[in-house]
Amino acid sequence: MPELRILVVDDSAATRQMLTSAVEELAAERGREARVDTADSGLTALRALPSGPYDLILTDINMPEVHGLELIRFVRQHPLQKDAPILVVSTQAAERDRQKALSLGATGYVTKPVTLAALREALTPLWPAAAPGGAP
Amino acid sequence: MTEKEFRAEAAELVEALANGVSALDTGLRGGRVAPALINDVFRAAHSLKGIGGLIGLPALGHLAHAMEDALDAMRLGKVTPTTGVLSVLDEAVELFQKLVEANPQEAARLEDRVNEVSRRVGAIKTGVEPAAAVVARTPKDLDLAPEFFSVLTEYEEHRLTDNVAQGVPIYLVHAPLALDAFDVGLGKLTEALKSRGEIITTLPSSEKAPGVIAFDLLFAGQVAVAELGDAVRALDPAFTASIVGTRPRNSVQAPEPAPARPAAVEEETLVPAHSAATPRTETVRVDIEKLDRLMNVVGEIALVRTGLGRIADLLRVDGGHTQPVIELQKLARSLERKIDELQGGIMEVRMVPLTQTFERLQRIVKKTARELAKEVEFVVHGEETELDKLLMEQLVDPLVPLVRNAVDHGVESADARQRAGKPAAGRVTISAQPRGNHVLISVEDDGAGLDEVAIRKAALEKLLVTEERVGTLTGRELWNLIFLPGFSTRREATDVSGRGVGMDVVKTNIARLSGMIEIDSVAGRGTRFSLTVPITLAIIQSLIVRVRGRTLAMPLGGVSEILAYDGQLLRTVEAREVFQTRKGTVPLLRLGDVFGYPGTDVANGYVILVGVGLNRVGIVVDELVGRQDIVIKPMGRLLKGLRGIAGATDLGERSTVLVLDVGGLVEEALGVNAAA
Ligand SMILES: Nc1ncnc2c1ncn2[C@@H]1O[C@H](COP(=O)(O)OP(=O)(O)O)[C@@H](O)[C@H]1O
Ligand SMILES: [Mg+2]
């Protein structure tokens, strides 16, 4: 089975690290290998995108320069990426931003601090337990 | 990442948080807290929150969460930072510093304290009711594509609203870049924009062309569209900047609420039928060059008016009081009043307060103080004083060296200050005061004063004066040496000083603005530089005089008094002519001699007193022709660099006359002429 390609975008190294281990674990639960790329800002993410397509993008909202909302909009415009599920991982403080993220096309929203359980729950609809479509 | 690395990151974040809070404090005391700063602190708190749980310190995460909420409320303008708020944040910072170093037992002991401080930090966001923001203009008025609003975060929306409400122009900067190397281009653009204002958002979008990514930056800044356009094009010819205009409003909206009237009457009688469809905008932005052109035209009309007046006067002398002549004189007078009004109106449009300039100087003082490890307090007075926008831009250059020197040469080291019984922190004060058509700006420090011994020594070494002359130089004459190009009392050049270009720049720039500069210094107490500059460059009131058959214009700005020349009041002191006035004697300057006009001055001429305080000089002229508003024209190649001449002006009747540089002349009379 092909590995899952995942992009984690957050300006905190600790959060990136944590999210990476979490998605690796969740992929393993489904018997899948995960290959995770990380980006420390929205800008870095823009550069990573052409090496996709990604099966999942996790992004923070509050980042300097290009922030999460802008990244979501960009991904949705991107010919290669426009169907990638995007999970926003950010604070609850910004209720309005969350609304916007969803209306811009984010697939889901997880509130920080993140737990493995919350991530699993959010990913369930995105990653059917059965072999993903197209697999032999 | 190991737990140790997480801890290291946490410690870094705590440090960033501490610096941020202290910067907020400085900002608050300086009267302005930069929104970007609050956002930085917010972000640090936000990241810290995420880490707390990862390093087995839930208490830290807990406190960071409260802090994040408080700062979020602040950055969204829901809570105003006050000293009270900041002292709570300070407490939290202190606690963070303890927490990141704590082992689990120590952390457990701190728990009560964490809870208590978290509660107080948490209260910040609820403690203050949202400032009843009555926003006159909103971003919704901006003619922006809806997609922009859909991606702005709440914070960005708030920043946009804030800028719009303050009347800051909003620009859209478009930057297409190569996908594989956009960092550099975008970095440069970001830097260039940040130095001119605030970037509200950076929106990437895929371009039609492959391999290209475009960024649309929403930018708020007090710059002219032409200037911004040039600045971004200089980085990359493909970059563009356009102003975001306001959408016409569809309803009648008077800027101020109309006084209450019975509604029925108002509807029927006061609202014209078509008005509902008439768009109304309340402001227009005008390129300053257009105003310049208008101002020049007005200046030319003023010349025509002067000509009319003169003809009326001549007719009156020739033909007596005929009705048409009297009528003509009346019309000329009322034309003059209207021209004055027109000039006043245009001038007003060009005026901007000194606030931004002073803020810039404040940053320079801070930076210089940091570089030199000195503690310096910056005090500002009169920043609301208004000046012509164009002049304001040219005023920054000469003010920068003054404040840098105040910190570097003026303010002593903390040790030296303490020994001298002064407070450890030095103080640099900049103040502005309107004086009619002029503004008085002073830069003052409470430092050591000008070092006369060092100045004498440096002047001798650089052969600026002769050995015998140096002993006779007193106070002001000696001080004026620091204006000479290359003059410095520093032995070695540092980043801040030692090249002796600072004061030279100050002087030439001020002279160019037809301004004057004066030094006051008291050893051990400090130095003050006082600048007098006209509030506008466009039109200068001047006195038209004649000297040995030539006509000259003298800007009235520097003129304090006009006296009749009287040979009886003339003395010669140390081979210099001085003239007795009620307020003591002043050195005399004969323009004919300065410019080498043949002939002698008439015996019944005038002495025009110029300059202020001890810097007064009497300028001898033969004849006073009259007052006139003039527009100074740049000088041709021939006249450039002629001492004592500021430019030329057209007096009508195709006669061009020279305009005197009063400041330069005063110096000529009082200063030291580099005698080697
Ligand atoms: N505020 C001040 N207090 C004391 N001395 C000053 C002050 N400003 C200028 N000076 C003197 O004027 C000299 C010339 O200044 P400047 O032209 O800026 O050259 P530089 O700073 O390179 O020495 C300085 O070397 C110093 O002796
Ligand atoms: Mg200097």
Side-chain angles (χ1 to χ4, degrees), chain B residues 261-544:
Chain B
R261 282 206 186 85
V265 179
E266 183 172 342
E267 258 171 36
E268 279 181 31
T269 59
L270 295 177
V271 183
H274 66 272
S275 71
T278 313
R280 275 238 202 155
T281 44
E282 284 136 27
T283 39
V284 282
R285 290 185 197 291
V286 182
D287 190 340
I288 196 135
E289 271 173 28
K290 288 189 186 158
L291 286 179
D292 264 351
R293 277 205 292 280
L294 276 185
M295 200 64 155
N296 275 327
V297 173
V298 176
E300 280 153 20
I301 298 177
L303 293 182
V304 175
R305 164 6 269 180
T306 311
L308 281 181
R310 198 155 39 227
I311 292 172
D313 289 345
L314 286 175
L315 284 175
R316 192 165 164 170
V317 174
D318 289 351
H321 288 79
T322 64
Q323 196 54 37
V325 173
I326 293 171
E327 207 54 32
L328 179 60
Q329 272 189 319
K330 257 205 213 149
L331 286 175
R333 266 198 299 277
S334 87
L335 181 59
E336 182 170 13
R337 276 194 300 276
K338 289 295 155 197
I339 294 172
D340 279 353
E341 251 176 64
L342 191 54
Q343 275 179 354
I346 298 178
M347 289 262 297
E348 221 169 89
V349 176
R350 298 168 55 109
M351 300 300 252
V352 288
L354 276 160
T355 323
Q356 282 203 338
T357 304
F358 280 9
E359 276 170 11
R360 230 173 113 180
L361 293 173
Q362 155 138 44
R363 286 198 294 275
I364 289 164
V365 166
K366 274 193 152 182
K367 185 159 165 283
T368 314
R370 211 164 5 164
E371 279 165 16
L372 298 166
K374 287 184 183 177
E375 205 182 318
V376 178
E377 195 187 333
F378 189 63
V379 184
V380 163
H381 295 298
E383 74 262 41
E384 69 287 346
T385 309
E386 293 191 326
L387 273 181
D388 185 298
K389 173 100 170 38
L390 215 57
L391 198 131
M392 186 79 72
E393 282 161 15
Q394 299 183 33
L395 195 60
V396 179
D397 280 350
L399 285 176
V400 169
L402 288 181
V403 297
R404 285 174 75 94
N405 281 348
V407 176
D408 185 13
H409 301 292
V411 173
E412 317 89 325
S413 68
D415 281 358
R417 292 183 64 89
Q418 233 126 36
R419 275 198 302 280
K422 295 181 178 181
R427 178 196 287 253
V428 174
T429 310
I430 183 158
S431 50
Q433 267 177 303
R435 288 278 162 85
N437 268 337
H438 285 71
V439 173
L440 188 70
I441 298 178
S442 68
V443 176
E444 189 174 352
D445 64 67
D446 70 344
L450 291 168
D451 184 344
E452 298 196 357
V453 177
I455 294 176
R456 279 208 168 82
K457 200 157 154 246
L460 268 180
E461 270 170 21
K462 299 209 161 101
L463 302 177
L464 295 168
V465 287
T466 57
E467 191 112 23
E468 56 201 36
R469 184 90 176 84
V470 84
T472 67
L473 293 178
T474 53
R476 208 161 301 269
E477 291 174 315
L478 193 65
W479 299 342
N480 282 336
L481 288 175
I482 68 171
F483 288 118
L484 293 174
F487 186 89
S488 174
T489 55
R490 276 288 144 83
R491 314 240 115 212
E492 267 152 49
T494 64
D495 283 352
V496 178
S497 61
R499 289 180 183 85
V501 288
M503 297 308 298
D504 181 29
V505 166
V506 172
K507 204 188 72 177
T508 30
N509 279 293
I510 297 297
R512 191 173 305 144
L513 302 179
S514 323
M516 308 233 287
I517 181 162
E518 196 187 341
I519 309 179
D520 284 295
S521 183
V522 179
R525 298 270 296 279
T527 307
R528 178 173 62 220
F529 292 92
S530 313
L531 278 56
T532 316
V533 289
I535 52 174
T536 178
L537 287 173
I539 294 238
I540 297 176
Q541 281 206 353
S542 63
L543 198 60
I544 309 299

Side-chain angles (χ1 to χ4, degrees), chain A residues 47 67 70 91 96 100, chain B residues 68 149 152 156-157 183 201:
Chain A
R47 202 146 9 90
H67 53 65
E70 288 165 330
T91 43
R96 295 259 308 281
K100 279 193 171 176
Chain B
E68 180 189 3
F149 291 110
L152 292 183
E156 289 170 339
E157 251 177 49
D183 302 53
T201 197

